[in-house]
Amino acid sequence: MKDLVEVIAKALVKNPEQVSVTVVEEDNSTVLELRVASDDMGKIIGKQGRIAKAVRTVVKAAATRENKKVTVEIV
């Protein structure tokens, strides 16, 4: 999942070298914390959060196929 989020984020931003994804394991779920440069924050979130929602939907679909619960947080 981490690689999936990283690939999507790097394709969207202007500074792909500043993209980092941290995996945080919680009770029965995994949280992926996505960090990007402050200049690229708007590109990741998108108008009215549409791109962020799309990224979360893709990750959720991939996680469902593996019977896992994964959420994406943009930090």
Side-chain angles (χ1 to χ4, degrees), residues 21-34:
V21 179
T22 308
V23 179
V24 179
E25 296 288 337
E26 292 182 353
D27 300 328
N28 339 348
S29 66
T30 304
V31 177
L32 300 175
E33 294 180 347
L34 173 62

Side-chain angles (χ1 to χ4, degrees), residues 1 29-32 56 59-60 63 68-72:
M1 291 304 144
S29 66
T30 304
V31 177
L32 300 175
R56 289 182 178 117
V59 171
K60 186 175 180 180
K68 296 180 181 177
K69 183 177 180 188
V70 180
T71 57
V72 178

Side-chain angles (χ1 to χ4, degrees), residues 8 11 24 36 40 55 60 64-65:
I8 293 171
V24 179
V36 296
D40 294 327
V55 170
K60 186 175 180 180
T64 302
R65 293 187 77 182

